[in-house]
Amino acid sequence: MVDVAHFRAILEGERDRKHALLKALRQDIGSVSAARENSNVDDEHDPEGSTIAFELSQATALLEQSRAGLEQIEGALERISDGSYGFCAVCGAAIPEGRLEARPWTPFCIGHASARS
């Protein structure tokens, strides 16, 4: 039997870290966007333009990845609440505890996770 309290604590900690990361990334995106808007030169002709565009693109990609990670964490916390945590969403088999230690948000056993890749 999976120690649900242990995994709830891990997931809640991860959720808190994701929320903090999302807040920081939004601030970074806002700062970069403001710098870009306050510039009188367009990116194409500004020696710093490609750097600003790259930073904005990178921060936006990280924001999307973090949102997706947060959704996975929230899903795992919901599964804990409804009693389905630790069981594969496809076949219903118990997910090995070692896999949950590595990826506590996973809804899939190893076989079904690799089939989805």
Side-chain angles (χ1 to χ4, degrees):
M1 182 100 190
V2 172
D3 182 357
V4 176
H6 168 71
F7 288 105
R8 181 188 308 272
I10 290 171
L11 289 161
E12 287 173 346
E14 284 296 315
R15 180 181 59 191
D16 293 345
R17 282 187 281 284
K18 289 288 185 191
H19 279 294
L21 178 60
L22 285 167
K23 180 179 178 182
L25 287 168
R26 284 186 197 104
Q27 289 172 341
D28 287 350
I29 290 170
S31 296
V32 171
S33 294
R36 190 179 204 183
E37 288 174 11
N38 293 332
S39 175
N40 291 331
V41 182
D42 63 30
D43 283 355
E44 186 177 331
H45 299 100
D46 182 1
E48 293 295 318
S50 60
T51 303
I52 291 172
F54 174 77
E55 288 177 14
L56 186 58
S57 174
Q58 188 174 33
T60 301
L62 288 172
L63 181 71
E64 292 305 315
Q65 288 174 348
S66 295
R67 281 184 185 147
L70 182 59
E71 287 177 14
Q72 291 176 331
I73 291 166
E74 293 291 352
L77 289 168
E78 287 175 22
R79 289 190 301 281
I80 287 174
S81 293
D82 70 20
S84 64
Y85 183 80
F87 297 96
C88 179
V90 176
C91 68
I95 299 171
E97 197 158 338
R99 175 156 172 75
L100 292 172
E101 285 290 343
R103 299 182 54 89
W105 48 82
T106 188
F108 304 111
C109 66
I110 293 171
H112 286 108
S114 61
R116 299 180 67 81
S117 304

